[in-house]
Amino acid sequence: MKQIRSPADLAINGAAPAFAEPLHVGRPNVGNRETFMRLAGEMFDRQWLSNNGPLVQEFERRVASYLGVKHCVAMCNGTIALEIAICALGMTGEVIVPSWTFVATAHALYWQGITPVFADIDPHTHNLDPDAVRRMITPRTSGIIGVHLWGRAAPVDELQSIADEHGLKLMFDAAHAFGSTYKGQTIGRFGACEVLSFHATKSFNTFEGGAAVTDDDELAETMRLMRNFGFAGYDNVVHPGTNGKMIEICAAMGLTNLDAHEDVIASNRRNHEAYTAALEDIPGISVLAYDPEERNSYHYIVLEVDEEFAATRDQIIVALQAENILARKYFWPGAHKMKPYRDLFPHAQLVLPNTEKVAKSVVVLPTGTALPRDAIQTISDVIGSCASRWS
Ligand code: T4K
């Protein structure tokens, strides 16, 4: 691998790229392929491919037990799981969410005819600021969706107090938080329900997939009906519904990857530590730290670029991409600046100063089990050299 000792070694200055193949942020982690092929073979033998098959049932049992919750309702993806949970909870009117999240959190509300109202974040954790949430409550507010961004728990207790005080529904978008903890308890049990994503780019994946998890028997039953057109048996529709079912091949992938999940977390954690060490002496650059008292998947390596750093965040991204390091600006520019929501709230930035600031400073770096270990030093050297390139 090429050594980067000075800006002359950077690909933006004409040198060869550091990596011949692109390094992606969302490279899938895949467990034992033989296990997956065996499960897939058994599925073909059974000729049962979808509709609450045995693999989905086993997957739901294992996820519920892993998270310590009563019910896991597996679905085709996290977005549909959000929509079904929102609808099953009877949210209406306005629901408070962060803008600093993947746009699916807002879209899931909008798609249900609900107005997502964006509240600002704590710039240190990137999660909802409870005081900002309070400020956004109106007579039309029916609920709050907290997001456990980057796998770090949202301020669960504070949000629950606000919800109780104002008679609001509370649920969580836990798309990043499979296996994370809040006050030592596994995420999945908080609010009325929590929604997971098992997309290919997540630390744990089922190709595409998601789930709503809850301890509430009635809510779980409603969501089960809703994900299968409201059928309560052949020819008997008892609830409005949609098609949100997880298919068997996705559950086979999930069962395979569950076995590997602890190894993935350990590998991500080592990568996070290696990035933190390699970048700690560069003034103006920091790797977002996670609470050492809590569990996190360490799936997102989030770099923050201060204004004092000689290069801008966007210049760093250009320099990294020239080296074939496909770093991302997740979740720039914030949902409030994306067309559907910009049209709805043209002045939203006035109440979202922390979101605005964070959105301008973030670079998400490649990690995962597929990342070559020595790549981290090279990626960090590219970032370090950006300071002299632009100063
Ligand atoms: N809530 C939150 C907080 C979320 O983050 C998400 C999803 C959701 C809700 C909704 O859950 P789902 O409905 O997706 O289950 C990706 C994912 O598509 C999305 O699932 C994820 N969040 C989001 C954070 O990232 P993009 O648009 O950035 O994907 P894309 O195609 O640019 O891929 C990301 C990187 O991964 C690229 O560098 C390519 C690489 N990649 C991707 C795939 C699919 C691979 O190397 N292999 C692959 O198979 O959204």
Side-chain angles (χ1 to χ4, degrees):
M1 203 175 299
K2 86 171 171 182
Q3 301 287 309
I4 297 169
R5 296 187 193 84
S6 76
D9 299 320
L10 293 174
I12 39 163
N13 286 337
F19 299 95
E21 297 293 325
L23 289 186
H24 291 278
V25 161
R27 264 297 187 240
N29 301 303
V30 180
N32 185 302
R33 287 191 196 189
E34 280 163 24
T35 304
F36 172 75
M37 297 310 262
R38 177 178 57 75
L39 292 171
E42 290 169 8
M43 175 196 77
F44 285 122
D45 291 345
R46 268 192 304 272
Q47 298 188 54
W48 196 276
L49 306 184
S50 182
N51 290 28
N52 204 27
L55 291 174
V56 166
Q57 290 182 36
E58 188 186 343
F59 177 70
E60 289 185 334
R61 273 193 300 276
R62 281 197 51 198
V63 169
S65 138
Y66 178 70
L67 300 180
V69 287
K70 266 173 99 176
H71 305 282
C72 166
V73 185
M75 311 229 197
C76 54
N77 60 56
T79 306
I80 292 289
L82 279 170
E83 285 178 33
I84 286 180
I86 288 163
C87 191
L89 280 173
M91 287 179 167
T92 55
E94 294 175 1
V95 169
I96 299 172
V97 283
S99 163
W100 189 236
T101 174
F102 187 59
V103 71
T105 321
H107 279 346
L109 288 164
Y110 196 81
W111 209 251
Q112 293 299 311
I114 297 169
T115 306
V117 171
F118 300 118
D120 209 5
I121 52 165
D122 173 337
H124 304 293
T125 63
H126 295 198
N127 276 327
L128 272 178
D129 168 4
D131 290 334
V133 170
R134 282 181 193 281
R135 289 196 290 273
M136 304 314 283
I137 295 172
T138 75
R140 295 191 69 224
T141 309
S142 68
I144 303 168
I145 302 181
V147 180
H148 306 301
L149 206 79
W150 315 130
R152 183 209 306 272
V156 170
D157 288 346
E158 291 86 343
L159 294 178
Q160 189 64 61
S161 303
I162 297 172
D164 293 345
E165 242 173 77
H166 294 268
L168 305 176
K169 320 257 185 202
L170 173 67
M171 59 174 269
F172 290 95
D173 177 339
H176 298 179
F178 187 65
S180 294
T181 60
Y182 173 70
K183 297 193 173 168
Q185 289 193 296
T186 311
I187 281 173
R189 69 197 66 207
F190 301 112
C193 68
E194 305 211 49
V195 168
L196 302 157
S197 164
F198 308 135
H199 183 257
T201 55
K202 296 289 187 291
S203 63
F204 168 77
N205 85 88
T206 61
F207 297 118
E208 286 266 5
V213 291
T214 181
D215 282 331
D216 182 329
D217 299 343
E218 206 178 316
L219 179 63
E221 186 47 31
T222 305
M223 293 192 292
R224 281 186 198 288
L225 287 169
M226 290 173 92
R227 76 168 170 188
N228 186 29
F229 313 102
F231 276 111
Y234 286 138
D235 312 322
N236 184 23
V237 172
V238 297
H239 205 285
T242 183
N243 184 354
K245 299 184 299 295
M246 177 178 273
I247 58 174
E248 286 290 270
I249 198 71
C250 291
M253 184 67 153
L255 289 166
T256 304
N257 289 340
L258 263 181
D259 292 338
H261 191 50
E262 293 302 315
D263 291 343
V264 170
I265 291 178
S267 165
N268 281 347
R269 191 177 181 144
R270 283 194 298 274
N271 287 348
H272 188 272
E273 284 164 4
Y275 271 116
T276 304
L279 290 160
E280 70 185 349
D281 293 332
I282 307 176
I285 291 285
S286 53
V287 176
L288 193 71
Y290 300 116
D291 185 345
E293 303 293 309
E294 302 285 1
R295 217 169 107 92
N296 191 304
S297 68
Y298 290 88
H299 181 56
Y300 291 97
I301 310 283
V302 182
L303 189 77
E304 292 184 286
V305 184
D306 285 2
E307 279 164 9
E308 65 179 86
F309 192 68
T312 64
R313 183 275 303 274
D314 288 356
Q315 286 167 335
I316 293 176
I317 295 264
V318 169
L320 288 169
Q321 295 200 341
E323 306 290 348
N324 249 336
I325 304 159
L326 304 188
R328 300 290 295 264
K329 295 195 255 185
Y330 287 143
F331 293 102
W332 181 84
H336 69 289
K337 288 266 181 78
M338 293 179 173
K339 186 171 182 338
Y341 306 109
R342 199 174 62 221
D343 289 352
L344 208 56
F345 303 116
H347 306 298
Q349 73 271 16
L350 297 176
V351 292
L352 301 171
N354 294 332
T355 302
E356 288 273 310
K357 187 167 179 278
V358 167
K360 286 183 193 131
S361 75
V362 158
V363 179
V364 176
L365 296 170
T367 186
T369 47
L371 185 72
R373 195 45 53 112
D374 52 355
I376 292 174
Q377 190 58 53
T378 307
I379 295 169
S380 305
D381 291 344
V382 172
I383 295 166
S385 296
C386 286
S388 13
R389 163 67 173 73
W390 273 285
S391 55

